[in-house]
Amino acid sequence: MSQKARKRAAAVALVALIAGGALAYGQVSGTFAIFIAETENPNAAALGSWIPPPTLTSTALNGSPYATEHLVWVSGNSTVMPGAAANPVTGQALLYADGGSAAAAVCPAAGSGSYASFTPSPVLTATSTTSDVTGTNVPDWWCWELQSTSTSATTSGAWTSDYKAFTSAQSKRLFVVTGYSQNDTGGTLDKFENGDQIVLTFNQNRGPIGAGNGTVFVRACNTNIILISTVAIASCATVPTIGQVTGQTVGTNRNCTTSTSAGNGTTTLTITLASCGGNSSIGAGTATFTPTGTGLAATAGTNLCSSGAAPNCTATTATRF
């Protein structure tokens, strides 16, 4: 055998010996080497693929004051890791995006970079499975994305799981009053009387009153409150099914029992006062409309938000009848 051939054979034998030793003594495999590289490098291309993501379940708007959305999921922390390995999920991050104001939500794709951080209260933990979020951040459709996060004292940096986004069909939108005005169409300024109008606008199309544009009951009370309802108002102590107006003085009690409505299926409710039995003086000031009941809902069925805190679902005007 030539010297060249002997050198080649020795090199082959050395490679075989090293490979055999790695197998015999449990040295790092190619797959595990990738895992180690990823966990030690937060900028790895396969970043986060080893962290169990959450499993998204459902969303729903909460009840009165109809100002929050309830998110439900299964935390990646519940995943059983192989062998005796500890679960790497140490937290969770909630992100949100505005799905627009069209008739249906248009949510960005998961991991698209269109989502921004959202800090719910209470702050999520590694084992959280629900969150009630308010509408202060997004005035339109809400889009949500959730991630598992992982930090470790033995490594540098932080990692996240793959992005998981609730679908556009799961997106919810608060039904909110966006404007309120009092129009002096009855003929006498600063008087609450037949022919005057109350106009409410909303962020989405509203449903019908009764079978469509039904009768609205409006009662002005000398306790400085105006009540608006889909049913007859027995007294000034009655809680109306649509809302109440405060902030201006009312001189005389007046009960407008056959007021008409217009705008069914649109973003507007126009109420024209009728059968008021006379007029009442209305003092200057900022009038505030606050929803108080479930007599008016969006065409999608969502009840009108009545929160007076964040998000503030009231509307104001400085105009007078």
Side-chain angles (χ1 to χ4, degrees):
M1 179 182 294
S2 68
Q3 183 177 5
K4 185 176 182 179
R6 284 195 298 271
K7 288 181 178 180
R8 184 181 299 112
V12 171
L14 179 60
V15 171
L17 177 63
I18 293 172
L23 291 173
Y25 294 101
Q27 297 301 311
V28 176
S29 68
T31 301
F32 194 64
I34 294 173
F35 172 81
I36 291 296
E38 182 180 338
T39 59
E40 291 182 350
N41 179 13
N43 297 314
L47 178 61
S49 60
W50 58 282
I51 300 173
T55 301
L56 309 186
T57 305
S58 65
T59 64
L61 287 174
N62 285 322
S64 181
Y66 312 104
T68 59
E69 181 176 351
H70 187 62
L71 308 179
V72 181
W73 66 90
V74 177
S75 169
N77 185 261
S78 65
T79 301
V80 177
M81 302 302 291
N87 190 292
V89 177
T90 59
Q92 297 179 88
L94 185 62
L95 300 91
Y96 77 99
D98 188 337
S101 58
V106 182
C107 290
S112 65
S114 299
Y115 291 82
S117 294
F118 182 91
T119 304
S121 179
V123 176
L124 302 182
T125 67
T127 58
S128 296
T129 58
T130 64
S131 184
D132 292 303
V133 295
T134 66
T136 52
N137 289 68
V138 182
D140 302 316
W141 294 99
W142 302 359
C143 299
W144 298 103
E145 182 176 77
L146 195 66
Q147 295 174 295
S148 298
T149 60
S150 181
T151 58
S152 172
T154 61
T155 56
S156 60
W159 301 266
T160 62
S161 69
D162 294 333
Y163 299 89
K164 298 295 179 181
F166 288 95
T167 66
S168 292
Q170 291 174 315
S171 178
K172 297 293 182 287
R173 186 183 183 196
L174 296 183
F175 180 38
V176 178
V177 59
T178 58
Y180 170 69
S181 64
Q182 301 169 159
N183 298 335
D184 176 34
T185 47
T188 308
L189 184 62
D190 303 338
K191 295 290 185 181
F192 177 93
E193 61 188 337
N194 291 336
D196 283 343
Q197 289 184 335
I198 291 172
V199 180
L200 293 165
T201 55
F202 308 93
N203 67 333
Q204 55 186 296
N205 290 345
R206 68 167 181 86
I209 293 173
N213 289 315
T215 298
V216 175
F217 300 84
V218 183
R219 187 166 191 144
C221 303
N222 60 11
T223 53
N224 302 329
I225 188 171
I226 298 173
L227 308 179
I228 307 170
S229 188
T230 57
V231 297
I233 305 170
S235 72
C236 288
T238 301
V239 177
T241 63
I242 295 180
Q244 64 183 26
V245 182
T246 56
Q248 295 173 319
T249 58
V250 177
T252 308
N253 291 331
R254 294 298 177 195
N255 193 15
C256 306
T257 57
T258 62
S259 299
T260 61
S261 69
N264 177 31
T266 71
T267 59
T268 302
L269 168 60
T270 300
I271 300 167
T272 302
L273 304 183
S275 302
C276 298
N279 61 35
S280 171
S281 62
I282 298 293
T286 299
T288 299
F289 171 82
T290 303
T292 57
T294 59
L296 190 63
T299 53
T302 306
N303 286 322
L304 188 60
C305 177
S306 59
S307 173
N312 190 324
C313 296
T314 64
T316 62
T317 184
T319 64
R320 284 188 281 174
F321 297 104

